[in-house]
Amino acid sequence: MSNNTLVDEGKPTLDELRERLWQPVIDGDAVRALSLVRAACAPDTREPGRLRDIAERVLLDVIAPTQERVGVEWAANTITVAQEHAATAVNERCVSALADTCADALPATSRGRVLVACVDGEWHALPARLVAEVLRLRGWHVDYLGAQVPTEHLVSHLHHTGAEAVLLSSSIPTHLPIAHAAISACQAAGVPVLAGGAAFGEGGRYARAMKAKWAPDAPGAAEALDEGLGRPSVTAARLPDLDLPHLNDQEYTMVRRTRRQLVKQALADVEEGFPAMRDYSDYQRERTVEDIHHIVAYLATALYVNDVALFTTFMVWTAGILEARGVPRHSLFPALDSLLNQLSDFPRATAVLSGARSALTIPGPGRPA
């Protein structure tokens, strides 16, 4: 089967199906979306292998990029948060429909048992669900635990089921410290961990720093499992600074412990340095406080993994989000300057904050400095 065809004469290509699916997804029209997906997986012959191949292509080349487009449209402020949630729910139903369609076509013999879950605090479950369904289609027994699974429950389930590997998903970088603890705990139980998701950085560099294997996508996860992950030695769970020695300087710990005071002072400084905020509604003020909390959380995470680029990338992305909503990027400077002042005795923190401030002063295409 080629990469862009569903084989049967008269059926749409994958590109065509993706375009047809977009409107019902963004309209929250689950009935129409499910009809399109089910039709794509209704070949003239019910040969199981062929059905599994088609279902995998629809999962990876239709539903996954459709969900990515939902995120892009939200960031550009062309759809609302409510539309984004409704669209995600439709895509989740489409995944479930494919799973139901293929239930009787799964391989009769299991290749092994694995556990797929999101780290504690991670609500973006669709990427993990896609991985789980692709692995099922390829013959694995999958325990899919879904969103935000506390580490202690993750390890307990491992002991209960005897799963051979854990596939841990996270999309939001601020969950990396929790992910690190989960990786260490699973490995201490003698179970290898395969990490995936945008939180783990380009090429999975943060996953590797935390001594986990990395898979860029569902096929990559399947290939890694086929090759074998190897079983880690059973030891006590590692302290984070064994993998990340820079944590010994305590900067991450200090920022995390004082985050409430950092946010409180930054809010006061933003009110002083960005006069437009004085006319904000209660809702706008709440969102501003939320933004400052995110800034401090990303700063702490950048210190955790010792990567200026993590924070800079987040701040540039945040500036784009604000500008799409009519808020100038310079509104971020008072918060950064406040944190620089509060953390002036912390060299890694000041390097991270200064790097982001410099990046925000560089004009983008068509944008004056």
Side-chain angles (χ1 to χ4, degrees):
M1 182 167 61
S2 70
N3 287 335
N4 194 41
T5 179
L6 294 179
V7 178
D8 292 353
E9 186 70 28
K11 285 189 177 295
T13 65
L14 292 168
D15 288 344
E16 291 169 342
L17 179 59
R18 190 164 56 248
E19 286 304 310
R20 293 182 189 181
L21 184 62
W22 173 250
Q23 200 58 51
V25 164
I26 207 62
D27 289 342
D29 186 351
V31 172
R32 177 59 179 154
L34 292 171
S35 176
L36 288 169
V37 167
R38 287 179 175 139
C41 290
D44 295 336
T45 174
R46 302 297 290 184
E47 195 278 313
R50 182 183 177 195
L51 179 58
R52 294 195 300 268
D53 288 344
I54 293 173
E56 180 172 322
R57 293 270 55 84
V58 174
L59 286 169
L60 299 179
D61 297 333
V62 178
I63 296 175
T66 298
Q67 183 63 24
E68 290 174 9
R69 184 176 174 184
V70 170
V72 170
E73 297 292 340
W74 171 82
N77 201 31
T78 57
I79 64 172
T80 65
V81 171
Q83 284 179 299
E84 184 267 335
H85 285 196
T88 300
V90 172
N91 279 327
E92 289 172 342
R93 289 190 63 183
C94 288
V95 174
S96 295
L98 282 178
D100 290 344
T101 298
C102 297
D104 294 332
L106 297 179
T109 303
S110 173
R111 305 177 72 172
R113 187 168 189 169
V114 297
L115 186 157
V116 177
C118 295
V119 301
D120 196 6
E122 178 62 69
W123 282 101
H124 296 81
L126 190 56
R129 178 71 189 281
L130 290 169
V131 170
E133 297 307 332
V134 168
L135 293 180
R136 284 195 183 104
L137 290 170
R138 295 195 181 194
W140 291 89
H141 179 137
V142 179
D143 294 323
Y144 172 67
L145 304 190
Q148 61 161 26
V149 181
T151 298
E152 59 269 27
H153 297 305
L154 188 69
V155 174
S156 175
H157 195 79
L158 285 177
H159 289 305
H160 178 69
T161 64
E164 301 164 35
V166 172
L167 287 84
L168 200 60
S169 175
S170 185
S171 299
I172 307 299
T174 50
H175 299 136
L176 283 172
I178 297 173
H180 194 185
I183 289 167
S184 176
C186 292
Q187 291 173 338
V191 182
V193 178
L194 186 61
F200 291 101
E202 185 178 357
R205 62 184 183 272
Y206 307 137
R208 294 190 176 93
M210 297 171 186
K211 304 301 187 288
K213 300 289 186 179
W214 160 254
D217 50 28
E223 291 167 10
L225 289 173
D226 289 343
E227 293 170 0
L229 300 180
R231 297 190 72 84
S233 59
V234 181
T235 60
R238 301 182 308 278
L239 293 175
D241 57 9
L242 291 178
D243 295 333
L244 307 173
H246 55 266
L247 293 176
N248 286 316
D249 67 10
Q250 297 297 305
E251 289 202 29
Y252 162 74
T253 301
M254 289 300 296
V255 169
R256 181 175 59 82
R257 287 179 177 174
T258 62
R259 59 189 182 275
R260 290 183 180 177
Q261 178 58 38
L262 291 171
V263 170
K264 182 179 179 180
Q265 184 59 53
L267 179 61
D269 291 339
V270 169
E271 291 176 330
E272 179 67 26
F274 186 60
M277 186 179 169
R278 298 166 192 167
D279 297 324
Y280 274 12
S281 65
D282 289 343
Y283 175 82
Q284 289 173 311
R285 286 182 60 83
E286 288 173 2
R287 299 288 75 75
T288 301
V289 173
E290 186 177 82
D291 288 343
I292 296 173
H293 272 287
H294 288 321
I295 289 171
V296 173
Y298 270 86
L299 170 62
T301 306
L303 295 173
Y304 190 88
V305 296
N306 199 31
D307 190 356
V308 173
L310 185 151
F311 186 71
T312 298
T313 300
F314 166 71
M315 291 304 300
V316 171
W317 176 83
T318 299
I321 296 293
L322 292 176
E323 288 176 332
R325 289 152 178 79
V327 181
R329 66 171 45 203
H330 67 74
S331 65
L332 294 169
F333 291 161
L336 292 176
D337 292 342
S338 175
L339 293 171
L340 275 165
N341 182 59
Q342 295 182 72
L343 298 169
S344 60
D345 292 333
F346 297 88
R348 287 203 297 126
T350 54
V352 170
L353 291 162
S354 297
R357 202 185 192 292
S358 296
L360 289 176
T361 62
I362 299 173
R367 182 189 296 119

